Amino acid sequence: MESSLPDLEAILLVGGQGTRLRPLTLGTPKPLLQTAGVPFLAHQLARARSFGVRRIVFATSYKAAMFEPAFGDGAALGLSLEYITEETPLGTGGAIRNAAEALTSGPSDPVLILNGDILSGHDIGDQVRTHLARQAAVTLHLTEVDDPTRFGCVPTDEEGRVTAFLEKTPNPVTNRINAGCYVFTRSVIDSIPRDEVVSVERETFPGLIESGELVLGYADRTYWLDVGTPTAYVQGSRDLVLGRLASPALPGPTGEYLALEGARVSPEAKVRGGTAVGARAVVEAGASVVGSVLSDDCVVEAGASVTDSVVGQGARVCAGTVVRDALIGDGAIVGPGNELQNGVRVWPGVELPEKALRYSSDV
């Protein structure tokens, strides 16, 4: 990063409940779910640090007490970390305003805002430099997607100035969407009302545009993924293991699979497609695991097949069972000969008897 950039402060929004990822998030907040062998946030923190961020304030709410034990004061990561908790959820703007109490930066300094469920390969340093050069109030990272109908889209003029915030619509005017990484000038954060529920997308940004402030779009087409759904979460872990997005936090070399300490993968098993194999997890002979997340201490027995799925901590997939596009909760046991697919979720601790669930008609 260019030396002209000050040591950057950031606010990390990690208050969400991760309801779309249940049952994985019943015991663990989404940003702490193991992703390519480390908590999801470890990738974000390492990337932020690589761009000159030195101090990060966590804006926590759901299971707030779990974040500090995971990362401590940040010294091991070369960061200084603070934790601010919202007693009642305040929306994105309220959360940013609340966390800003712990910032040390001055009124004209840039503050980076990160969302705790986004994987992005964009150049944060360049986004910050653009913000400073243009003296913008806020600079938003915009990403270009093939199907913008599922997102709010953000049109800009030829100078990059954001002209509107449009909610999801069947006929989007642009394929550029809000990618969830912002650079705010500190004084703009301070103008958000305190202790009130405020949405930056619906209130703060449109209000700034209306009053003539410069809200800038920083658009690119690098790697970008919102990991909020089971399919996307598995994809994020897989892409990191395969090296499709570089991460300084990856706990091993990229490749077909990444195995953590104590994992036992039989030489007669097929494990590939960017699978993460958790600590002490066991994959027996004749098992096949493709593009999946195997959590710590889980077991995939001989002849079982797991594809595009998550197997929870200490869970067991018994012999001859087929698991495809499924979530298996912590400690669950899927008996022999079951077929789980199409987004099915098995809750923690549940035990499925032999051949309890089938899709095909043969037995």
Side-chain angles (χ1 to χ4, degrees):
M1 188 176 232
E2 288 180 10
S3 56
S4 62
L5 267 176
D7 280 354
L8 207 53
E9 283 192 302
I11 292 172
L12 182 56
L13 301 175
V14 288
Q17 294 195 11
T19 48
R20 292 179 298 170
L21 279 170
R22 285 181 185 159
L24 303 179
T25 48
L26 291 174
T28 306
K30 176 168 61 177
L32 295 182
L33 289 176
Q34 287 265 329
T35 310
V38 293
F40 177 78
L41 284 186
H43 300 290
Q44 270 200 332
L45 295 174
R47 271 188 57 78
R49 191 189 183 287
S50 74
F51 286 110
V53 175
R54 289 296 174 265
R55 193 156 175 282
I56 298 180
V57 181
F58 280 58
T60 66
S61 177
Y62 177 67
K63 295 198 178 292
M66 293 183 72
F67 288 93
E68 192 162 356
F71 299 109
D73 62 4
L77 305 165
L79 291 164
S80 160
L81 302 179
E82 292 253 350
Y83 302 87
I84 300 282
T85 301
E86 294 164 55
E87 302 312 324
T88 56
L90 296 169
T92 46
I96 291 167
R97 178 69 182 87
N98 191 49
E101 298 296 312
L103 294 175
T104 60
S105 45
S108 59
D109 289 337
V111 177
L112 183 68
I113 312 291
L114 298 165
N115 270 284
D117 48 11
I118 300 290
L119 269 182
S120 174
H122 82 287
D123 186 335
I124 291 171
D126 195 47
Q127 182 182 352
V128 175
R129 283 192 291 273
T130 302
H131 174 87
L132 290 168
R134 297 283 301 273
Q135 297 182 309
V138 185
T139 302
L140 295 92
H141 176 215
L142 307 179
T143 190
E144 300 183 3
V145 293
D146 296 329
D147 176 18
T149 57
R150 297 184 301 119
F151 304 93
C153 63
V154 184
T156 54
D157 67 16
E158 58 281 356
E159 259 108 57
R161 181 187 280 264
V162 174
T163 53
F165 274 80
L166 306 173
E167 288 302 312
K168 295 170 189 172
T169 159
N171 302 302
V173 297
T174 173
N175 67 339
R176 286 180 175 173
I177 63 153
N178 175 4
C181 173
Y182 317 129
V183 183
F184 270 81
T185 298
R186 169 69 197 269
S187 58
V188 175
I189 296 178
D190 293 338
S191 70
I192 297 171
R194 276 197 68 176
D195 300 323
E196 286 183 30
V197 177
V198 180
S199 159
V200 287
E201 299 85 359
R202 284 192 289 280
E203 296 168 69
T204 310
F205 297 153
L208 288 167
I209 291 168
E210 217 167 288
S211 64
E213 296 279 351
L214 177 56
V215 176
L216 207 54
Y218 177 85
D220 74 354
R221 286 209 72 140
T222 52
Y223 183 99
W224 183 85
L225 184 68
D226 172 346
V227 297
T229 65
T231 303
Y233 164 60
V234 172
Q235 184 191 332
S237 182
R238 183 166 60 223
D239 287 348
L240 287 159
V241 173
L242 290 168
R244 290 176 183 160
L245 173 66
S247 168
L250 200 71
T254 57
E256 287 297 318
Y257 74 92
L258 173 72
L260 296 188
E261 205 173 338
R264 301 207 311 276
V265 177
S266 163
E268 278 83 58
K270 284 199 180 80
V271 183
R272 56 193 170 85
T275 292
V277 184
R280 301 168 305 280
V282 176
V283 183
E284 294 182 356
S288 163
V289 184
V290 183
S292 294
V293 177
L294 303 184
S295 307
D296 296 351
D297 302 296
C298 75
V299 178
V300 179
E301 289 187 1
S305 163
V306 178
T307 307
D308 298 342
S309 296
V310 180
V311 181
Q313 286 189 28
R316 178 176 285 266
V317 178
C318 295
T321 282
V322 176
V323 177
R324 177 183 295 276
D325 181 29
L327 294 184
I328 297 173
D330 296 349
I333 297 174
V334 182
N338 280 288
E339 291 178 357
L340 306 182
Q341 59 191 53
N342 298 354
V344 72
R345 302 166 192 233
V346 178
W347 247 240
V350 167
E351 189 164 346
L352 286 180
E354 182 170 359
K355 294 182 180 166
L357 278 174
R358 304 283 292 174
Y359 279 82
S360 53
S361 53
D362 58 331
V363 287

